[in-house]
Amino acid sequence: MKNKPSQKQAHKQGGQKSGPQTKAVHAGEPLRHGVGTSVGPSICRSSTFTFSSTAEMKRWAEGKSKAYIYTRYGNPTLAVVEEKIAALEGAEAAVVTASGMAAISHILFCALKAGDELISTAQVYGGTYRLLRDVFPGLGIKVHHVETDLAGMEELVTPRTKALYVETPTNPTLRLVDLHKAIAFAKKHKLVSIIDNTFATPVLQNPIAMGFDIVVHSATKALAGHSDIIAGVAVGNKEWMERMRHMVIYLGGSMDPDAAFLLNRGIKTLGLRVARQCENALAVAKFLEKHPKVERVHYPGLPSHPDHALAKEQMRGFGSMLAFDVKGGLPAARRFCDRVQLFLVAASLGGVESLVVLPAYTSHYNMSEKELLRAGVAPGTVRVSIGVEDSADLIADLDQALA
């Protein structure tokens, strides 16, 4: 039977002593030397795997064998990308899922049960917010919200509080959570600490090294980087990831091997893409901040951003995402989006192409005016995902669309 690539092989080229871009290229993949050896890893497009005998089948059922038997339980192609992401995040293990929301929901179900309570920042991705608002109460899980400054957390803790969930930078207005403060609070109250690291990526921020228990990503975004798959991942220690893997088996949120192959391929250029996107985003943010038709720019790389100092302290760059509020509110924001030419009007982020959307119609739909205000979404807010195009061309398109 087929077994996972050994840690020894993977770490010879992409292990903990390697730099992040080396890990992005080589971690999780076996050494490839010799005549005729393929450079790229293969895709294992099998739903099921054979046993050598009924005795081996019995060993697997008793938990004495790590053999692959069915792709929902594990697959060699998935194992490669799981090792790669774990290495990038500096964690013991990772589990990939069919989507970012599968990663978020599955790990929260690992940490919480009926009667438990969760403290979460209110400023999170709209899909996460709606999960906590619309699904968790029906499961007997109570959710308390705090702002990104974490004020009032202590008053919310009860004996039933089991986890802390944060997202930083936030979607869509790029507010930051002080990670040291969050970790200290979680450790003080013995809470499981979970963070959505999608916007920052492992290139700019490593919460596990800072003390977080679990990191989640919508791997659809910057990790994959090419707008061609839906994927998610949870990262943490072996114990939590074993629980996560069983939750994926129970709930069925497993990743397809072809998606895993594309995710692995995308990660190989993650550092290169993020560096270019950060450079472009800062240039675009500076342009927008001076534009007479822009009321406000949300980008932590600008000194005007309320969390600029914190971003410089706990991130290695300011990211590819920004938002801005157009003067004239929703009608003006809609006119802008309808006029862009190089930018695409699309609801994802983190890819090589630049995108614009109205959060109120996409990521933060089905939210009240009060909820949108708390999330920092004004009627004229436009969210921008910066790609790897030439910054001069991006600025020219924004200029004509705002004219």
Side-chain angles (χ1 to χ4, degrees), residues 125 226 315:
Y125 166 59
H226 294 80
M315 296 178 68

Side-chain angles (χ1 to χ4, degrees), residues 72-84:
R72 179 159 53 86
Y73 289 69
N75 176 289
T77 310
L78 274 60
V80 167
V81 76
E82 286 172 343
E83 286 195 33
K84 190 179 296 289

Side-chain angles (χ1 to χ4, degrees), residues 57-76:
M57 193 183 299
K58 180 175 180 290
R59 277 175 44 79
W60 181 89
E62 294 171 343
K64 298 175 181 177
S65 167
K66 296 294 184 181
Y68 294 112
I69 74 150
Y70 194 66
T71 286
R72 179 159 53 86
Y73 289 69
N75 176 289

Side-chain angles (χ1 to χ4, degrees), residues 108-171:
L108 286 171
F109 289 146
C110 288
L112 301 163
K113 63 181 184 304
D116 288 344
E117 297 183 5
L118 167 72
I119 297 175
S120 170
T121 45
Q123 295 84 356
V124 293
Y125 166 59
T128 306
Y129 183 87
R130 290 185 292 272
L131 171 70
L132 302 183
R133 181 194 66 185
D134 300 340
V135 177
F136 275 32
L139 300 176
I141 300 170
K142 188 173 183 178
V143 180
H144 300 280
H145 288 296
V146 294
E147 306 306 314
T148 52
D149 63 4
L150 306 179
M153 282 193 306
E154 292 289 346
E155 288 72 32
L156 297 175
V157 178
T158 76
R160 296 180 295 278
T161 308
K162 303 300 180 185
L164 172 69
Y165 183 93
V166 303
E167 175 184 306
T168 180
T170 65
N171 184 349

Side-chain angles (χ1 to χ4, degrees), residues 20 23 33 48 73 83 157 183 230 254 257 276 300 332 339 365 374 388:
K23 293 176 186 176
H33 294 295
T48 190
Y73 289 69
E83 286 195 33
V157 178
I183 293 161
I230 301 293
S254 53
R276 174 61 176 247
R339 286 178 56 85
Y365 79 96
R374 191 174 191 184
V388 300

